[in-house]
Amino acid sequence: MSDLDIVKEFLIESNENLDRLDRNLVELEKHPADREILADIFRTIHTIKGTSGFLAFPKLEAVAHGGENLLARLRDGELRLNPEITTALLALVDAVRQMLETIGANGSDGNNDYPELIARLKILQEGSAAPAPTMERPAPAPAPAPAPPPPADTCQKFQPTPDRLGALLVAQKRITAEELARALQDQEKGNKRPLGEILVGHGALTTEELQESLKILNESRSTPTEDATIRVRVAQLDRLMNLVGELVLARNRIQQWVGSKSDSGLVSTSQRLNLITTELQEGVMKTRLQPIGNIWSKFPRTVRDVALGCGKQVRIEMEGRETELDKTIIEAIKDPLTHLVRNAVDHGIEPPEVRQAAGKPSEGCLRLRAFHEGGQVNIEITDDGAGLNLEKIRDNALQRELISAEQASRLSERELCNLIFLPGLSTAEKVTNVSGRGVGMDVVRTNIEKIGGMVDIQSKSGQGTTVRMKIPLTLAIIPALIVTSAGERYAIPQVSLLELVGLDRDQARTGIETIHKAPVYRLRGRLLPLVCLNRELEVGARAANAATSSAVSADQSCLLDFAKARYMHEQWLDRLRQVLDGSATMTVEQAGSPTQCGLGKWLYESGLKDYSNIPEIHQVEAAHKCFHELVRGVVALKAKRDGAGAEHAYTELGQASGKVLDLLRAVEAKVLSCQNVNIVVLQADGREFGLVVDEVNDTEEIVVKPLGKHLKDISVYAGATIMGDGKVALILDVLGIAQRAHILAEGREPSRAETEPAAAASAENKQKLVLFAGRAGARMAVPLDLLARLENIPGSQVERSGNQWVTQYRGQILPLIRVTHALEERRQMPSEQDDALPLPTSAMLQVLVLENQQRSFGLVVNQILDIVESALETQSPPTRPGVLYSAVIAERVTEILDVPAILNAGEIRPPAAAHRAGS
Amino acid sequence: MTHTGQFCTFYLDHLLFGVESLKIQEVVPYRPLRPVPLAPAAVSGLMNLRGQVVVALELRRQLDLPERPAHMTPVCLVLRASEGSVCLLADEVGDVVQVADDTFEPAPQTLPPRLRSMIRGVHKLEHQLMHVLDTDRTCEVQAASEERSEP
């Protein structure tokens, strides 16, 4: 190991130790009597001093030495820890940290001797009560809670936990030194039994006492667990991660290939490979995870400094510091978290006088909590301060014209809280060096959203504020929606995905409207701006997306008469037949070129070219050309009066013609599907927009690969990934697309979530419901969590099974229950409930596929209206069986259905009994 | 800067080019590339190189040479660049040649400045001039112009 390596090791180790020092010192301030902590601090400083002396960093050594002397006196109980000493020691940590940085940068410990710091340490060490000379930090104005008087045992000379049983027992005063000496003598005389047993034999202590002491001894011996971990370079982990990513891709390809084979050995091996790869992937991912405590460990110091600076008393509590997150994410949330913590102390928690006046303990409490939930990590930062001043936020937002007066009057408490994430808003009365500049909270939100997280704030006046964050575990492998645009696949990270809307040709023509030229879609009554991916990426043909130019394509789809095209083509055979039979004549010139005949004109001039990204179009053109060659051949042979040759050539035409017709049909299907509009509803920076893509494929877990420097500047891509077939797909950056499409303009208007009255209800007792129309426009709803899917089932696919409608759905028989019947049958038997249940008359049934107790069934409704989130405050008892209760939703009385009851009624009752029961 | 050493040569529009062979990671056969919309013109697309996503640059476009005829399949020279690998598309791979300083001449002033930054000079080989490419400069492309008109 070279000198440089030693220095590097020293720097890494010392930096880690310094972080622990910060933590320990703050801890020590709370428990000044804790000798373990004191010993730990002493050891750390001592190590730094020793190593720096050895590596010839005299200045660092001098500073550490000063600290060590002071600590030695503290350790020996000759001095008592007070805030002044803690501050000096923290200043020492800062100085050491700075010097280490200098060493890291230029290899020497710099020019600063820190004479003031050394002098101050010396003064403190001598126990002089002289006031601390002004240092880097202004002396704290009011000293925080005076350190409690030390318990008696701190005044004793400090001893580490003895590592021999005898010494421990004496220290615990379980036995006297004489008893120990006697037992030891016994051992020397040849008593082979262990010391403890000898002592028990002497009657000096009981077996229980011995067991207890042995346990303490074992714990103290096993504390240093250095062997359990090793240091691994991050680059090495990254490399492993890459390799595992590759392995996952190789596995995917093998699986695709094996899928088509029937070799059982191969299949089982590939399954094993699959399993191992998945486990390996998880394992490697875990190596990159770090406990969140790593960044939290700095917070006690931060809180202490900020609290001292503004004369407050704040205690910090942490829960779940072992919660693990990916290294990159840990780094990304470090600054936002620090900002929130500082904010909470500076703004949130009140000064002690105010707190006492409000009947709260003078010491404020800041709570950090982290826990896993649903594949994400939740982080909460709670203070028990005054809470947000909503009035002030409202006024401030109005004053800065961040919201309109009309909006301001409608905003709920929670929405008002979330206004503080708007840029430029600050409620601090005075700007301090910590916060109040009006930047910060918006940066917090931007940074959290950048890594796919969410942040929310809640506040109760006088009780405190809670900031909640939801953070993904890792950025390396993310779930994504795969879409196709202009024949290429793109991945959209699922965190920004809200929903998918599919419109067929007719729905698209009516549903998509334009404001001036900007296309919008009415999504449940709200206008959703549409962005066409092809257009943003400048790929594909103009009309390949009906959405953005619906007017144009609507005309064109009329022009694209495929039946006519086929007819024009089929005519050829008849005409040639006539030519061959001699009833008509045709010259080679008349047979013409492929661009001049009817189909040719249609192919090249009807606007089909606008769909040129459909590969079949080129195939059909080629087939058409080939067909024409054959036609010319037939005509030429006929002209040469080679009747037999012409007849033979004519028979070949049939095949070529069939190929053309087949391809035309394929093109037609593709063109029609192109006119379907797929809208991917996305959210970026609090705004919603619809991204129109050619095709929605699937969701997949993708391995994110960075794009090289050549493509980094293109804001619409977040990276690339390799799909199961080995091809590269680009990952879209939703924020970048929104910016490119000018969805995110300068003037912010809050999204639906922030403005709609439905969201105004408090989050706690809200329930999501599917709203639909029953008979005669009556409104009904079922809880959304029971809903598996919404389906349109053609009436022709409904079959009868007993007295029930059923349909074949995803390989299963799905019972269909008509909501009108389910509710009314028991009230009054409808007369049409005949033995022969009529099949549905409507062409398309709207069906809610519900799942209850692992059974699926379809609820046939008249019309699906909306999905709402409602607080269900106004409730009234049920009016009829099958209904849980009635509530007012969206200003209409709505019946909330009792799904299990309907299900039981619909299934258990045999048809005949039902009939009797009714009559 | 010395111009001595081993050069890996390749052809572009019948011109002979050379890069220091140490810079070449490997030469792989052409495979279909994933086009990148909105990318600079010189970026042909992305390639899956054993699980790594590598950018492929069209050298002809980068060096202002005429487009490659459709029937010609390019080869991929994978370079070790400062930030990961970069793939350069060339017409055909030539020999590895050993050259000395005495055959080197810097690029003439008549060359447009953009090309002069990429072509360090030429080695006068027996039958042909070998253009010496500055790989770092060659791998630089103009920032993606977001305003590029529709193709």
Side-chain angles (χ1 to χ4, degrees):
Chain A
M1 199 188 255
S2 74
D3 284 2
L4 255 175
D5 287 341
I6 297 176
V7 173
K8 212 184 266 169
E9 286 277 309
F10 166 64
L11 287 177
I12 294 173
E13 196 184 291
S14 303
N15 273 320
E16 275 173 19
N17 286 339
L18 286 179
D19 289 347
R20 205 170 67 222
L21 263 187
D22 269 342
R23 209 164 56 228
N24 279 343
L25 281 170
V26 178
E27 191 69 18
L28 189 67
E29 202 171 22
K30 274 184 246 156
H31 312 282
D34 196 324
R35 289 181 304 175
E36 283 286 338
I37 300 179
L38 200 48
D40 197 20
I41 296 173
F42 183 81
R43 248 190 327 263
T44 312
I45 294 285
H46 180 79
T47 311
I48 292 176
K49 186 195 100 171
T51 321
S52 55
F54 169 69
L55 292 172
F57 297 124
K59 294 181 184 107
L60 179 56
E61 189 188 359
V63 170
H65 181 72
E68 194 189 357
N69 284 344
L70 177 58
L71 281 165
R73 295 207 54 196
L74 283 170
R75 189 192 61 179
D76 296 347
E78 291 162 19
L79 269 182
R80 246 198 291 141
L81 189 79
N82 57 32
E84 210 177 303
I85 294 182
T86 314
T87 308
L89 286 172
L90 285 172
L92 164 82
V93 174
D94 285 341
V96 171
R97 190 173 276 138
Q98 246 166 36
M99 288 165 120
L100 288 174
E101 262 168 40
T102 325
I103 293 171
N106 16 322
S108 83
D109 51 356
N111 303 321
N112 195 342
D113 286 330
Y114 297 92
E116 289 166 11
L117 177 64
I118 294 175
R120 181 165 151 206
L121 290 170
K122 199 156 174 70
I123 291 168
L124 289 169
Q125 176 201 337
E126 280 155 10
S128 134
T134 38
M135 300 298 301
E136 304 94 294
R137 208 193 332 273
D153 64 323
T154 13
C155 297
Q156 291 177 352
K157 212 160 159 65
F158 170 76
Q159 278 176 333
T161 313
D163 59 347
R164 303 288 300 253
L165 179 64
L168 178 74
L169 286 170
V170 175
Q172 285 178 321
K173 302 206 170 72
R174 289 211 159 122
I175 55 170
T176 61
E178 291 81 56
E179 283 171 323
L180 175 65
R182 219 150 53 104
L184 285 173
Q185 270 173 10
D186 258 22
Q187 237 177 0
E188 274 165 31
K189 279 180 200 151
N191 191 337
K192 288 276 188 290
R193 287 188 303 158
L195 183 69
E197 285 183 33
I198 298 174
L199 282 166
V200 174
H202 285 191
L205 79 165
T206 65
T207 324
E208 286 83 43
E209 282 174 333
L210 173 65
Q211 293 301 336
E212 242 172 72
S213 299
L214 280 173
K215 209 172 130 200
I216 293 171
L217 195 64
N218 280 337
E219 271 169 14
S220 77
R221 272 179 185 166
S222 60
T223 338
T225 50
E226 289 126 49
D227 292 351
T229 57
I230 54 163
R231 233 183 261 284
V232 182
R233 274 179 303 117
V234 176
Q236 180 73 16
L237 289 182
D238 287 346
R239 212 179 109 71
L240 272 179
M241 191 68 209
N242 274 340
L243 284 171
V244 167
E246 269 178 57
L247 184 64
V248 168
L249 296 170
R251 185 264 325 254
N252 291 354
R253 294 183 74 172
I254 285 189
Q255 277 193 315
Q256 277 189 357
W257 182 69
V258 165
S260 61
K261 308 280 160 195
S262 55
D263 184 335
S264 68
L266 184 66
V267 170
S268 71
T269 314
S270 101
Q271 277 167 353
R272 181 103 189 97
L273 174 72
N274 182 14
L275 216 70
I276 295 172
T277 312
T278 311
E279 271 176 33
L280 185 64
Q281 187 185 343
E282 276 171 18
V284 172
M285 292 255 299
K286 278 197 187 129
T287 61
R288 287 171 52 93
L289 297 184
Q290 287 186 330
I292 196 164
N294 284 10
I295 43 173
W296 281 6
S297 62
K298 293 200 168 58
F299 290 161
R301 167 86 192 266
T302 314
V303 167
R304 181 191 181 272
D305 289 356
V306 177
L308 271 182
C310 51
K312 292 178 185 176
Q313 295 168 25
V314 184
R315 163 171 53 98
I316 186 164
E317 280 179 12
M318 298 180 185
E319 188 186 314
R321 54 161 68 230
E322 67 289 336
T323 311
E324 289 185 316
L325 279 165
D326 193 275
K327 199 179 146 329
T328 45
I329 294 201
I330 290 256
E331 271 154 29
I333 61 170
K334 193 164 123 192
D335 290 345
L337 273 184
T338 312
H339 185 87
L340 288 173
V341 166
R342 296 171 76 108
N343 239 356
V345 178
D346 193 28
H347 295 288
I349 291 173
E350 318 92 315
E353 319 82 73
V354 180
R355 288 184 66 89
Q356 274 166 349
K360 292 198 247 184
S362 58
E363 188 185 45
C365 175
L366 182 70
R367 250 171 78 83
L368 298 178
R369 186 161 167 253
F371 57 97
H372 285 277
E373 191 185 68
Q376 286 190 313
V377 173
N378 290 16
I379 303 172
E380 291 178 4
I381 300 168
T382 311
D383 66 59
D384 63 349
L388 293 172
N389 187 337
L390 297 180
E391 283 307 309
K392 218 194 239 172
I393 293 176
R394 196 201 308 262
D395 294 347
N396 205 314
L398 274 172
Q399 206 182 323
R400 286 167 207 247
E401 292 176 353
L402 299 167
I403 52 168
S404 67
E406 189 254 338
Q407 276 177 329
S409 59
R410 275 188 317 171
L411 289 178
S412 73
E413 230 174 71
R414 187 160 155 263
E415 290 156 11
L416 275 173
C417 289
N418 279 302
L419 283 182
I420 70 160
F421 289 114
L422 295 184
L425 196 130
S426 170
T427 56
E429 273 157 13
K430 55 176 195 281
V431 170
T432 68
N433 63 339
V434 181
S435 37
R437 294 194 184 87
V439 287
M441 285 309 264
D442 64 314
V443 177
V444 167
R445 173 149 95 173
T446 319
N447 284 351
I448 297 294
E449 285 185 353
K450 214 182 271 171
I451 53 166
M454 286 192 315
V455 57
D456 181 48
I457 188 162
Q458 280 183 7
S459 175
K460 278 217 177 98
S461 181
Q463 291 178 30
T465 310
T466 300
V467 180
R468 267 195 200 97
M469 291 184 213
K470 274 181 193 285
I471 313 276
L473 269 181
T474 175
L475 293 179
I477 296 179
I478 56 166
L481 178 77
I482 312 296
V483 300
T484 305
S485 211
E488 297 284 355
R489 279 172 300 181
Y490 296 88
I492 302 173
Q494 216 148 20
V495 285
S496 10
L497 181 70
L498 293 176
E499 63 183 303
L500 299 173
V501 178
L503 302 177
D504 67 23
R505 189 171 141 185
D506 297 332
Q507 286 171 324
R509 216 179 296 168
T510 54
I512 293 172
E513 296 157 271
T514 55
I515 299 177
H516 194 234
K517 279 175 185 164
V520 290
Y521 173 68
R522 286 192 206 203
L523 181 65
R524 293 188 289 276
R526 263 176 359 92
L527 292 183
L528 183 77
L530 294 182
V531 176
C532 173
L533 184 58
N534 287 1
R535 176 167 291 191
E536 290 314 319
L537 297 180
E538 298 169 6
V539 293
R542 176 167 49 95
N545 259 295
T548 44
S549 49
S550 60
V552 186
S553 74
D555 298 342
Q556 271 168 359
S557 59
C558 301
L559 282 176
L560 290 180
D561 188 341
F562 281 88
K564 187 177 147 210
R566 275 195 296 274
Y567 173 71
M568 287 189 295
H569 181 72
E570 279 157 359
Q571 269 189 328
W572 266 111
L573 289 181
D574 294 340
R575 276 180 70 194
L576 279 179
R577 185 72 259 157
Q578 287 168 1
V579 171
L580 287 180
D581 295 345
S583 56
T585 55
M586 192 189 276
T587 61
V588 178
E589 284 72 40
Q590 276 172 332
S593 73
T595 52
Q596 281 162 346
C597 76
L599 180 62
K601 279 202 179 114
W602 187 84
L603 277 181
Y604 295 100
E605 286 160 28
S606 68
L608 190 69
K609 275 286 171 191
D610 284 337
Y611 299 94
S612 58
N613 54 330
I614 301 176
E616 278 84 356
I617 289 186
H618 303 287
Q619 290 175 23
V620 88
E621 281 167 10
H624 181 66
K625 248 180 213 158
C626 176
F627 175 78
H628 261 272
E629 284 305 311
L630 289 170
V631 169
R632 283 168 78 104
V634 172
V635 175
L637 285 169
K638 178 73 186 165
K640 282 187 215 154
R641 306 190 181 286
D642 182 356
E647 281 293 337
H648 179 72
Y650 181 78
T651 53
E652 281 178 14
L653 270 181
Q655 207 189 348
S657 164
K659 195 175 166 194
V660 170
L661 289 176
D662 283 350
L663 284 168
L664 267 180
R665 265 182 217 108
V667 170
E668 182 176 10
K670 279 276 175 88
V671 166
L672 284 180
S673 80
C674 269
Q675 286 170 342
N676 292 350
V677 176
N678 296 301
I679 303 174
V680 182
V681 184
L682 299 171
Q683 185 168 33
D685 205 13
R687 298 283 196 92
E688 286 171 28
F689 68 99
L691 188 69
V692 177
V693 300
D694 289 353
E695 221 177 302
V696 173
N697 302 39
D698 204 356
T699 58
E700 231 173 89
E701 298 258 302
I702 56 166
V703 182
V704 180
K705 308 254 173 191
L707 287 173
K709 59 174 178 181
H710 300 99
L711 304 173
K712 274 216 177 93
D713 296 338
I714 312 176
S715 59
V716 296
Y717 304 126
T721 187
I722 295 172
M723 307 297 296
D725 57 5
K727 292 199 179 123
V728 179
L730 288 161
I731 303 169
L732 296 178
D733 183 332
V734 173
L735 205 61
I737 290 180
Q739 275 159 356
R740 194 179 157 81
H742 308 295
I743 289 284
L744 299 174
E746 305 75 41
R748 288 176 60 104
E749 79 188 44
S751 78
R752 171 174 56 156
E754 287 167 32
T755 52
E756 241 182 39
S762 58
E764 283 76 37
N765 55 357
K766 260 197 267 187
Q767 196 180 7
K768 280 197 172 166
L769 298 164
V770 192
L771 207 59
F772 55 89
R775 175 163 289 181
R779 292 228 178 180
M780 302 179 188
V782 291
L784 184 67
D785 46 9
L786 291 174
L787 183 74
R789 285 179 79 89
L790 295 173
E791 290 287 350
N792 280 325
I793 295 176
S796 57
Q797 282 181 17
V798 176
E799 297 167 56
R800 256 194 303 261
S801 163
N803 191 25
Q804 206 165 36
W805 283 358
V806 294
T807 189
Q808 294 175 28
Y809 178 71
R810 301 184 156 205
Q812 283 183 335
I813 297 176
L814 183 76
L816 296 178
I817 298 176
R818 280 166 297 169
V819 67
T820 43
H821 287 65
L823 290 178
E824 283 161 22
E825 264 168 0
R826 279 174 292 173
R827 196 168 59 174
Q828 56 179 68
M829 197 58 204
S831 53
E832 79 257 22
Q833 180 72 22
D834 220 323
D835 280 335
L837 175 78
L839 279 173
T841 45
S842 48
M844 205 52 101
L845 297 176
Q846 292 204 319
V847 176
L848 308 174
V849 181
L850 302 176
E851 260 167 17
N852 186 50
Q853 292 162 356
Q854 297 175 354
R855 297 217 46 184
S856 297
F857 72 101
L859 198 62
V860 183
V861 302
N862 285 11
Q863 197 192 351
I864 297 168
L865 296 173
D866 199 353
I867 290 174
V868 294
E869 204 168 3
S870 177
L872 305 178
E873 273 155 359
T874 344
Q875 292 185 1
S876 69
T879 48
R880 47 180 166 168
V883 175
L884 273 178
Y885 52 84
S886 301
V888 176
I889 297 171
E891 295 166 8
R892 293 276 303 270
V893 176
T894 307
E895 289 176 313
I896 315 295
L897 300 190
D898 184 354
V899 172
I902 292 177
L903 188 57
N904 289 339
E907 284 190 344
I908 294 172
R909 194 178 34 164
H915 195 75
R916 265 199 308 279
S919 46
Chain B
M1 191 185 285
T2 175
H3 305 283
T4 321
Q6 272 198 341
F7 279 79
C8 183
T9 65
F10 54 89
Y11 295 90
L12 285 171
D13 195 28
H14 307 293
L15 297 178
L16 183 67
F17 286 84
V19 286
E20 288 149 84
S21 49
L22 284 178
K23 297 256 171 141
I24 303 264
Q25 179 184 317
E26 61 191 306
V27 178
V28 293
Y30 179 77
R31 57 193 82 180
L33 299 171
R34 166 63 155 92
V36 183
L38 308 180
V43 174
S44 271
L46 296 172
M47 189 169 75
N48 171 9
L49 185 71
R50 293 185 303 276
Q52 293 302 307
V53 175
V54 176
V55 170
L57 298 180
E58 176 52 84
L59 269 187
R60 278 186 177 237
R61 249 175 261 162
Q62 186 73 335
L63 294 167
D64 295 341
L65 294 169
E67 288 285 305
R68 182 176 299 108
H71 61 84
M72 205 185 254
T73 313
V75 290
C76 307
L77 299 159
V78 184
L79 290 193
R80 271 185 216 105
S82 43
E83 305 164 34
S85 307
V86 177
C87 171
L88 300 179
L89 298 183
D91 293 356
E92 203 185 329
V93 182
D95 298 327
V96 174
V97 294
Q98 180 78 37
V99 289
D101 254 348
D102 54 355
T103 59
F104 182 79
E105 281 202 32
Q109 295 296 314
T110 47
L111 217 58
R114 200 178 84 81
L115 289 179
R116 202 137 38 89
S117 74
M118 291 187 266
I119 300 173
R120 277 196 228 147
V122 290
H123 275 286
K124 295 164 284 179
L125 301 188
E126 206 171 321
H127 302 292
Q128 217 176 350
L129 295 176
M130 182 186 80
H131 303 66
V132 179
L133 278 188
D134 183 317
T135 47
D136 290 340
R137 293 284 180 83
T138 308
C139 289
E140 274 168 25
V141 293
Q142 290 113 321
S145 105
E146 302 245 325
E147 309 308 323
R148 201 155 57 90
S149 58
E150 234 167 285

